[in-house]
Amino acid sequence: KASAESKVRMGDWSAWPLSKDQIRYAARDAEASYWVFANGTLGSAWPVPPAPFCPSAHGLELRDAPAPPAKQESCSDEKPGKPKLKRAASAPASALGSSGDPADPEEASEAAQAAQAAKKAKANASFFLMHRNKSLKPPNAGLKEAPRGGPLDALRGVVLVVSGVLDSMSREEMTDFVQSHGGTVAKGVTKKTTHLVNDHGEIGPAKLAKCQAQGVKIVGEDAIFDLVREKIE
């Protein structure tokens, strides 16, 4: 026992937090000091019978022992004066709101969700538009006669895009008709596009916007037939 108390007494008291044995030793030492102060001497009544150690009775809490105070670094090399202020690093543009203030994480999350929902809605709209157009058939298939003959270059310089459903021809038939007369059929609207052909169904929003921006003519299949008839006459 004496050896154990000696180890505690001579141990490292600078470490934090203190061990249970160190706290018990310090508490007993404090009790002895109080006994001398109250009675003038330890006398024969000391030591008192040891009681179970209770940290709360001494104002201690083992589980939540306070952290040791942070060590302050020496500033002996710095001249006295106003404290130097560190400039805060500027936030990246992606973390700033429209006003230039740091964006609220909740607002940023809501904006991202809204953008994702809009993108999904646009994709769904294009998907259903495509299937609606595919479900339609040319209402006058076999009832309208396309012009026959004429020069092979009657549609030279014509670059058209088919959107939606034609009146009497399938897309494949219109492609063969245009190419047989020297014209070109493209899948998408470009700077070279001269006509967008549509009789029924819906025009794709992207194609319609490009045609309006570039001034591309939006016509029915009869307008293409008339171009060939003009060369025949």
Side-chain angles (χ1 to χ4, degrees), residues 44 125 141:
S44 60

Side-chain angles (χ1 to χ4, degrees), residues 53-164:
F53 179 75
C54 180
S56 59
H58 300 277
L60 299 173
E61 187 65 31
L62 293 180
R63 292 183 179 179
D64 299 323
K71 294 183 179 179
Q72 297 184 353
E73 297 181 358
S74 174
C75 301
S76 57
D77 295 337
E78 297 182 1
K79 297 181 180 180
K82 294 183 179 180
K84 295 182 179 180
L85 299 179
K86 294 184 179 180
R87 294 183 60 184
S90 57
S94 58
L96 298 179
S98 58
S99 62
D101 297 331
D104 186 353
E106 293 184 1
E107 292 182 359
S109 177
E110 291 177 0
Q113 292 178 0
Q116 185 67 20
K119 183 177 180 181
K120 185 176 181 180
K122 184 177 180 180
N124 289 340
S126 300
F127 175 80
F128 289 114
L129 173 62
M130 178 185 66
H131 280 274
R132 282 197 300 271
N133 287 338
K134 282 188 175 182
S135 66
L136 297 176
K137 294 182 179 181
N140 293 313
L143 302 178
K144 185 188 296 186
E145 186 175 355
R148 297 180 180 179
L152 299 179
D153 60 349
L155 295 177
R156 184 175 59 182
V158 173
V159 179
L160 62 84
V161 174
V162 179
S163 181

